[in-house]
Amino acid sequence: MTHQGACHCGAVRLTLPSTPEVATRCNCSLCRRIGGPWVYFAFGTVKIEGHPESTVAYVQGDKTLRTIHCKHCGCVTHWEPITLEPGERHGVNLGNFDPALIASVRVRKFDGAVTWSFLEE
Ligand SMILES: [Zn+2]
């Protein structure tokens, strides 16, 4: 089952290829500011419309990924790897989707700030 979501103004639209079962809430210096929770899919499997024409990218720290937000409403929609290699994933901000979907997905807390591991099963 696919799921459609969008940033607040609708300029960036995302379609998930399947129903996510688990999402990640991360406390790293970036994620703790921009929220999430994040769900992950194989790169290229999430349909993203309005990107890059309506988006701005932010590249942080080790420059392995770019975090994308809508240039009109500011909502963070997803992140994507900068270097495409086999097995790469991208992350989607589940906050852009239906509240019922958000509520149905189990959220795991990830300590991206210190230990780089999940804080709970
Ligand atoms: Zn927008």
Side-chain angles (χ1 to χ4, degrees), residues 34 48 50 62 69 80 87 93 105 116:
I34 61 178
I48 303 171
D62 58 7
H69 67 268
E80 59 191 17
N93 184 348
V105 178
W116 199 249

Side-chain angles (χ1 to χ4, degrees), residues 53-105:
E53 25 330 344
S54 294
T55 58
V56 176
Y58 174 65
V59 178
Q60 61 149 343
D62 58 7
K63 296 183 170 57
T64 57
L65 57 85
R66 52 172 86 88
T67 305
I68 310 295
H69 67 268
C70 174
K71 70 181 180 184
H72 304 293
C73 67
C75 295
V76 174
T77 51
H78 64 289
W79 57 255
E80 59 191 17
I82 288 175
T83 305
L84 286 182
E85 292 166 4
E88 286 287 5
R89 304 182 302 170
H90 48 186
V92 174
N93 184 348
L94 195 62
N96 295 291
F97 288 78
D98 190 301
L101 176 65
I102 299 170
S104 73
V105 178

